[in-house]
Amino acid sequence: MTQEELLAQIYKKDSNAFNTLYNMYSKSLYGVIFNLLKNKEEAEDVLQEVFVKIWKNVDSYNESKGRFFTWILNIARNAAIDRLRSKDHTKNLKNLSVDNFVHILDHNATVVNRIDAIGIREFVKKLKPVCVRIIELLFFKGYTQQEASDELAMPLGTVKTQNRTCIKDLRNILEV
């Protein structure tokens, strides 16, 4: 099934299309979410929320603004960042036992391998060093643009401009 056919079925709210959508993208989205949250249960919970958002808001997807995968990836990333900033997440972090840290470290290595397996990091590595650092902070670590600005000791406007340029460069690499 092509992505266009899948989207047509999703717009019609075909339940089989939801299953196909989940099977195609759940592992990639989970990897991004877990990479930010570092907690299996929370990542699974956010993943469910993400698929509900995708399903309910698919009409807001605009093909002329970018690829479908990029759109759903942004939904996943934003949902994970929202969870990170929530009070519940902060409380959960305070309650983690030492045993959980071993699991987190083991599982995190698997997630990093999954991200590497889908090749995202390899494409990012082809960018200039400032782009690698900005994308790492904003997309892989979930920093806000202001936090990235502080970390890089770079004006906020420069981070925003560099981010747009870096994403454009990454798109160009992916289109080749």
Side-chain angles (χ1 to χ4, degrees), residues 144-161:
T144 64
Q145 289 180 335
Q146 182 61 57
E147 291 167 339
S149 169
D150 295 342
E151 176 76 18
L152 298 169
M154 186 183 290
L156 178 60
T158 303
V159 169
K160 290 179 178 185
T161 302

Side-chain angles (χ1 to χ4, degrees), residues 1-12:
M1 172 181 305
T2 67
Q3 185 171 308
E4 291 78 23
E5 292 168 337
L6 176 62
L7 278 171
Q9 288 180 347
I10 293 171
Y11 287 131
K12 294 177 187 176

Side-chain angles (χ1 to χ4, degrees), residues 3-33:
Q3 185 171 308
E4 291 78 23
E5 292 168 337
L6 176 62
L7 278 171
Q9 288 180 347
I10 293 171
Y11 287 131
K12 294 177 187 176
K13 302 296 184 194
D14 180 334
S15 61
N16 290 329
F18 182 83
N19 291 335
T20 302
L21 176 74
Y22 187 86
N23 290 334
M24 287 176 69
Y25 296 113
S26 62
K27 289 180 182 175
S28 297
L29 297 181
Y30 177 82
V32 169
I33 294 166

